[in-house]
Amino acid sequence: MTGLRQLQRQRVREAISAAAIRLFLERGFDEVPVTEVAAAAQVSKPTLFKYFPTKEDLVLHRIADHQGEQARVVRAREPGQSPVEALRRHFLDGLARHDPVTGLNDHPEVLDFHRMVFGTPSLATRVFHYMAQDEKALAEALAETLDELTAGLLAAQVLAVQRVLARRNWQALADGVPLADLRPDALRAADRAFSLLRT
């Protein structure tokens, strides 16, 4: 029963989120009231807020699902592998999968999603809040093998590199560069960026 209940909760959560993002992409985040999202998902407003405490959470849970990812990568790295190399490999794997977090995904909904997030002040602010939490978690993971100052500086640099690379990829795709043309450049840029981090 517990597994069934959990599955049902997950389905409701996904239905609410899908309805919200569809409406937000059609009309804009600020133009759609939460009551309309609840109606589209066929749930009550209190039920919606049980799953998503704020309106921004309806959108940003997709990003929040990646919370702490860099710290997990560092802790799970192979013996003898440096933290920077593990993070580089993880980012390159994301590019190969066209993970939306890397910005290298030309699906129209993904491009529109990024445009909405970075074009809506309340959403962009929350993204930076998530990044600050990721930076803290990564610094803590790095501090297990590095001194505190080095760990803090490296964590900030890693997050900045990933943000710049992802934003660069998304912007190029949004400007009409075909994914097949962009992919080699995205790989070169990631390799160069992480090489700079090593030094």
Side-chain angles (χ1 to χ4, degrees):
M1 284 302 291
T2 304
L4 211 57
R5 196 173 296 120
Q6 189 63 33
L7 185 61
Q8 180 60 24
R9 284 182 57 81
Q10 187 60 31
R11 283 181 181 153
V12 172
R13 188 174 192 265
E14 287 172 7
I16 294 170
S17 173
I21 289 172
R22 179 176 48 77
L23 289 168
F24 295 153
L25 291 179
E26 283 173 6
R27 303 209 328 260
F29 179 78
D30 293 324
E31 305 306 314
V32 180
V34 172
T35 49
E36 191 173 336
V37 173
Q42 299 180 338
V43 298
S44 67
K45 191 174 169 184
T47 296
L48 182 148
F49 282 123
K50 264 198 286 189
Y51 288 90
F52 299 98
T54 70
K55 186 179 178 184
E56 286 76 14
D57 290 326
L58 288 161
V59 174
L60 296 179
H61 76 90
R62 290 185 176 184
I63 293 171
D65 287 346
H66 287 272
Q67 284 263 241
E69 192 166 86
Q70 294 88 353
R72 288 191 294 276
V73 167
V74 166
R75 289 194 171 107
R77 73 189 186 276
E78 297 172 9
Q81 187 179 42
S82 74
V84 171
E85 178 54 27
L87 290 161
R88 182 189 79 86
R89 183 76 260 152
H90 182 71
F91 193 82
L92 290 176
D93 288 347
L95 290 173
R97 294 190 315 272
H98 297 163
D99 188 330
V101 171
T102 67
L104 193 65
N105 187 306
D106 63 351
H107 189 283
E109 186 176 307
V110 172
L111 293 174
D112 289 344
F113 180 85
H114 282 289
R115 190 176 291 110
M116 175 178 64
V117 168
F118 294 117
T120 307
S122 63
L123 294 174
T125 299
R126 282 287 293 280
V127 168
F128 280 105
H129 173 69
Y130 286 138
M131 288 178 62
Q133 291 177 321
D134 276 342
E135 185 180 314
K136 181 176 183 291
L138 179 56
E140 289 169 359
L142 291 167
E144 294 169 11
T145 54
L146 301 170
D147 66 87
E148 188 181 336
L149 176 60
T150 303
L153 291 170
L154 182 55
Q157 291 171 342
V158 166
L159 269 292
V161 159
Q162 291 184 342
R163 185 185 76 243
V164 169
L165 290 172
R167 190 71 186 260
R168 186 174 180 269
N169 292 337
W170 167 74
Q171 191 61 63
L173 291 171
D175 290 344
V177 177
L179 184 110
D181 293 350
L182 178 61
R183 192 170 184 277
D185 180 59
L187 291 169
R188 280 192 299 271
D191 267 330
R192 181 174 174 218
F194 280 94
S195 293
L196 291 170
L197 281 177
R198 285 194 201 98
T199 59

